[in-house]
């Protein structure tokens, strides 16, 4: 793997979406899940860079879900937009990170001119979706990612499911055995591209002693089995990415480690590069 590129500080733009959510929600960028939260009243900032391969037009999709307390299990117009003081807020922002600044970034964010227009459903519905076209202009990098990967929707879906489950069963075994070096090798392309998108200076953090110790403490001997009855194969990234997601307990999560203290979710998006018949990890 080649060394990380270097960019001047003023070029290190981070794009993000910030939401003040009034309902549960699911948010996607270019058909990739960014965040899914099934409670109300959450404020969250989601960095987009790891999923932005290059400058250009990108599609943000927000799926508004019914309140947990909705007796009719429907999303009502007022849940999304009641008035200007009681409504969903979605902001598309950019900034330059600076850990020495009180807020963690340089300057101020212009929230007034960064807000996306939220439109409520015209009547009660099971859910409501909005899409927004984001114009990304200032990324200094360009990544290959899954841009030239095979379209998994064109595969025989039974064959696809077998291959995806085989991959995740192998990955689960590596983690359960505590094989940290093999885990790093399986994730090296993902780690490199994420490091580029986040303007890291080196890749040392991924293989650091602390990371290894946490990996062993959380994963070795603690990984849940990958039983096909507990999972469904999901295709994202407009057909280029795949993963498995739990159907019941810890719904929508991927590989699970359980210790005496807690559960840990490990998410992976895999793809098939053009010219390859095997999957590899490309994002989380």
């Amino acid at each position: 793997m080649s060394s990380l590129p270097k960019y001047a500080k003023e070029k290190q733009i981070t794009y993000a979406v910030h939401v003040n959510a009034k309902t549960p929600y699911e948010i996607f960028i270019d058909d990739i899940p960014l965040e899914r939260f099934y409670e109300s009243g959450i404020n969250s900032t989601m960095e987009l860079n790891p999923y932005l391969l290059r400058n250009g037009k990108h599609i943000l999709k927000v799926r508004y879900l019914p309140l947990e307390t909705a007796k009719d299990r429907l999303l009502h117009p007022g849940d999304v937009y009641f008035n200007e003081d009681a409504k969903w807020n979605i902001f598309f922002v950019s900034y330059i990170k600076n850990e020495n600044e009180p807020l963690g970034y340089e300057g101020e964010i212009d929230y007034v001119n960064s807000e996306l227009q939220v439109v409520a459903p015209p009547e009660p519905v099971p859910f409501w979706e909005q899409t927004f076209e984001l114009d990304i202009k200032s990324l200094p990098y360009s990544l290959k990612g899954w841009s030239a990967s095979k379209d998994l929707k064109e595969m025989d879906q039974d064959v696809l499911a077998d291959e995806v489950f085989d991959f995740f069963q192998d990955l689960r075994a590596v983690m359960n055995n505590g094989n940290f070096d093999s885990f790093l090798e399986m994730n090296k392309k993902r780690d490199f591209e994420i490091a580029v998108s986040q303007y890291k200076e080196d890749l040392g953090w991924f293989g650091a002693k602390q990371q290894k110790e946490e990996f062993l403490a959380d994963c070795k001997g603690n990984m849940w089995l990958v039983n096909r009855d507990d999972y469904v194969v999901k295709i994202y990234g407009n057909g280029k990415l795949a993963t498995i997601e739990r159907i019941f307990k810890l719904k929508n999560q991927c590989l699970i480690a359980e210790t005496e203290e807690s559960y840990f979710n490990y998410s992976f998006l895999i793809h098939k590069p053009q010219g390859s018949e095997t999957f590899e990890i490309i994002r989380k």
Side-chain angles (χ1 to χ4, degrees):
M1 192 67 68
S2 58
S3 60
L4 292 171
K6 308 296 182 184
Y7 301 107
K9 189 66 175 179
E10 64 270 16
K11 299 288 187 180
Q12 296 180 17
I13 304 298
T14 295
Y15 287 98
V17 169
H18 178 81
V19 301
N20 301 325
K22 301 303 181 185
T23 69
Y25 61 86
E26 298 175 341
I27 297 181
F28 302 79
I29 184 70
D30 294 335
D31 192 41
I32 300 169
L34 271 179
E35 190 167 270
R36 290 176 282 194
F37 206 86
Y38 301 112
E39 297 179 13
S40 303
I42 298 299
N43 298 333
S44 179
T45 299
M46 292 153 269
E47 292 189 3
L48 303 180
N49 282 36
Y51 305 97
L52 302 175
L53 299 183
R54 58 185 57 86
N55 290 319
K57 305 294 186 182
H58 296 265
I59 302 300
L60 179 76
K61 180 171 70 175
V62 180
R63 181 178 295 149
Y64 312 96
L65 302 174
L67 294 169
E68 318 93 284
T69 55
K71 294 182 179 180
D72 59 2
R73 298 184 179 180
L74 295 176
L75 177 75
H76 291 252
D79 299 336
V80 176
Y81 187 105
F82 186 76
N83 58 39
E84 276 299 306
D85 296 320
K87 66 181 180 70
W88 257 80
N89 301 106
I90 307 172
F91 303 93
F92 170 50
V93 302
S94 63
Y95 47 82
I96 297 174
K97 292 182 180 179
N98 188 335
E99 62 183 16
N100 296 318
E101 295 292 333
L103 296 177
Y105 54 82
E106 297 182 358
E108 296 182 357
I109 294 176
D110 182 5
Y111 283 104
V112 173
N113 294 309
S114 300
E115 187 168 7
L116 303 178
Q117 185 177 0
V118 170
V119 177
E123 59 188 19
V125 291
F127 64 90
W128 180 248
E129 290 184 350
Q130 269 191 278
T131 60
F132 306 90
E133 185 178 80
L134 307 182
D135 192 5
I136 305 297
K137 298 180 178 180
S138 300
L139 294 176
Y141 63 81
S142 179
L143 299 172
K144 184 175 182 181
W146 50 96
S147 59
S149 302
K150 293 184 178 180
D151 188 341
L152 304 178
K153 293 182 292 186
E154 296 180 356
M155 289 183 60
D156 179 286
Q157 294 303 290
D158 291 332
V159 173
L160 173 66
D162 288 343
E163 291 185 7
V164 170
F165 273 109
D166 285 348
F167 182 92
F168 278 97
Q169 285 165 346
D170 290 344
L171 176 58
R172 178 260 170 199
V174 166
M175 298 173 71
N176 197 61
N177 291 335
N179 194 331
F180 187 63
D181 290 340
S182 294
F183 183 74
L184 286 180
E185 180 67 22
M186 295 179 76
N187 284 277
K188 66 179 181 180
K189 185 169 289 187
R190 177 196 75 168
D191 292 345
F192 179 84
E193 291 201 346
I194 289 179
V196 171
S197 74
Q198 296 179 337
Y199 311 113
K200 302 291 187 184
E201 294 184 356
D202 60 64
L203 295 166
W205 179 87
F206 296 102
K209 180 181 178 181
Q210 181 180 350
Q211 294 301 113
K212 181 175 183 178
E213 291 174 349
E214 290 179 359
F215 173 85
L216 293 175
D218 296 344
C219 298
K220 189 174 183 179
N222 296 328
M223 300 301 300
W224 284 9
L225 293 173
V226 177
N227 295 316
R228 293 183 67 150
D229 290 343
D230 297 328
Y231 284 90
V232 62
V233 173
K234 300 299 288 283
I235 298 176
Y236 292 115
N238 299 309
K240 301 296 185 69
L241 302 171
T243 189
I244 58 173
E245 294 180 359
R246 294 189 58 80
I247 303 170
F248 305 112
K249 187 176 182 180
L250 302 181
K251 184 178 179 181
N252 293 336
Q253 299 190 18
C254 188
L255 299 186
I256 305 297
E258 180 182 1
T259 67
E260 293 182 0
E261 294 80 23
S262 187
Y263 298 101
F264 299 91
N265 172 46
Y266 291 86
S267 297
F268 305 89
L269 290 168
I270 63 176
H271 75 134
K272 270 191 176 184
Q274 286 291 348
S276 174
E277 292 302 320
T278 58
F279 280 105
E280 67 178 12
I281 298 168
I282 195 66
R283 286 298 184 275
K284 59 181 180 180

